[in-house]
Amino acid sequence: VFHDQPVFHRRRFFHGKAIRGAEAPEIEWLEPTGKPMSDEAWHAPFVRCLGVQLSGENIDVNEHGEVIQGDSILMLFNADHTNKIAFTLPKPNNEPWEILFDTAGPNPDAAPEVGAVYELEPVSVVMLRSAIVADEGNA
């Protein structure tokens, strides 16, 4: 699954831009509310839970100048050793979120819908994918 994802095979990351905030559409760091991390969260002495969304839109251009696009990936991390943390899923860039894996094991009650809350187990990582929308004109 991961070898097929162009978002993990960028020739360059961030194109010289900041790694957080509106200046960095390629990557977005998220609080458990599903919103971008605030300055307060960035400067906290420790953060037990965060998410990172890697956009699959306009990843790069290939040697022919064609735009490379792929699925968007959302990774959620809970470093707390004892507590579950509820993480509100942000709006995906393309298709609805699909759970690729949860290191705590499968969660049959997980609902990867926009605005849904995903319960992150203690010391776990969850990866979700938003598949790229097929271009009807090139099918």
Side-chain angles (χ1 to χ4, degrees):
V1 169
F2 306 109
H3 298 289
D4 299 342
Q5 296 296 334
V7 75
F8 293 126
H9 300 282
R10 295 175 189 263
R11 290 183 291 174
R12 296 175 300 174
F13 274 88
F14 318 124
H15 300 279
K17 297 180 182 177
I19 64 167
R20 64 186 179 103
E23 304 83 35
E26 299 160 345
I27 186 169
E28 188 168 31
W29 298 92
L30 306 169
E31 296 181 352
T33 61
K35 298 189 180 340
M37 285 187 70
S38 65
D39 284 336
E40 181 180 321
W42 274 108
H43 298 295
F46 64 89
V47 174
R48 291 190 176 133
C49 182
L50 61 82
V52 62
Q53 185 172 345
L54 301 172
S55 176
E57 297 180 359
N58 302 318
I59 294 171
D60 213 331
V61 293
N62 65 19
E63 60 275 0
H64 305 291
E66 300 165 329
V67 173
I68 298 171
Q69 293 187 328
D71 298 341
S72 292
I73 300 293
L74 175 63
M75 294 176 280
L76 309 176
F77 303 90
N78 179 5
D80 192 296
H81 287 274
T82 57
N83 297 310
K84 290 183 181 182
I85 296 181
F87 204 105
T88 302
L89 299 179
K91 180 178 185 267
N93 292 346
N94 302 306
E95 294 293 315
W97 291 117
E98 168 193 358
I99 300 169
L100 297 178
F101 70 82
D102 183 337
T103 60
N107 181 348
D109 298 324
E113 298 173 12
V114 176
V117 173
Y118 193 94
E119 290 286 331
L120 294 171
E121 295 293 327
V123 291
S124 67
V125 176
V126 176
M127 184 175 289
L128 301 100
R129 169 179 69 174
S130 172
I132 188 167
V133 177
D135 185 356
E136 300 286 330
N138 293 331

